Amino acid sequence: MNPPAVIQLDHVYAHPPAAVWKALTDPALHAKWWAAGDVRPVVGHRFTLDMGPWGQQPCEVLAVEPERLLKYSFATGTLDTTLTWRLAPEGTGTRLTLTHEGFNLDSPMGRRAFEGMKPGWPGVLARLGTTLGV
């Protein structure tokens, strides 16, 4: 049995934490760089993210520290993973650390999701940067 797999990435944006936080928590901005959904920084808030061909993925906010941390369950009932977004000031910008954890590599679906998302996340984070530049 394999331990759950983790994807972790750091990306530095030339924008203050408030701007990055807004992109993570404003549904209209979130839809521009990743997926449409009623994301809100409120612990216990349940929402779905429209992942296109992968369907509607249920999520629930687990932890919030404004402009510092947003953590939510992702694909509850299928993948059962967790996304954690950590923001830290870096110079005049922000270091964003994404941790996507809990992939069950012993499950064919979990392994496929991990193998698809690991190379996919860098592009998502790049689109976030493009959205911040607007």
Side-chain angles (χ1 to χ4, degrees):
M1 186 157 145
N2 291 302
V6 177
I7 299 167
Q8 186 164 327
L9 298 167
D10 277 343
H11 198 97
V12 177
Y13 298 99
H15 300 275
V20 177
W21 180 256
K22 185 174 181 182
L24 292 174
T25 60
D26 178 287
L29 290 175
H30 197 275
K32 288 183 179 181
W33 63 270
W34 186 29
D38 184 30
V39 60
R40 282 189 258 152
V42 177
V43 172
H45 174 63
R46 292 173 189 233
F47 62 100
T48 58
L49 290 176
D50 182 353
M51 303 304 298
W54 298 281
Q56 300 286 323
Q57 301 301 325
C59 303
E60 182 178 350
V61 178
L62 304 171
V64 174
E65 294 176 35
E67 298 183 14
R68 294 186 53 216
L69 172 83
L70 178 64
K71 180 177 184 173
Y72 52 87
S73 62
F74 177 77
T76 305
T78 53
L79 285 181
D80 291 317
T81 60
T82 303
L83 289 169
T84 304
W85 307 89
R86 293 185 187 280
L87 294 78
E90 185 157 310
T92 59
T94 303
R95 176 174 295 276
L96 177 67
T97 302
L98 163 66
T99 306
H100 192 170
E101 59 191 319
F103 292 94
N104 179 358
L105 298 182
D106 294 324
S107 148
M109 181 178 59
R111 182 168 293 280
R112 276 193 315 274
F114 178 76
E115 290 170 353
M117 291 179 178
K118 188 169 184 172
W121 272 119
V124 172
L125 296 182
R127 285 194 306 275
L128 172 56
T130 300
T131 299
L132 288 168
V134 172

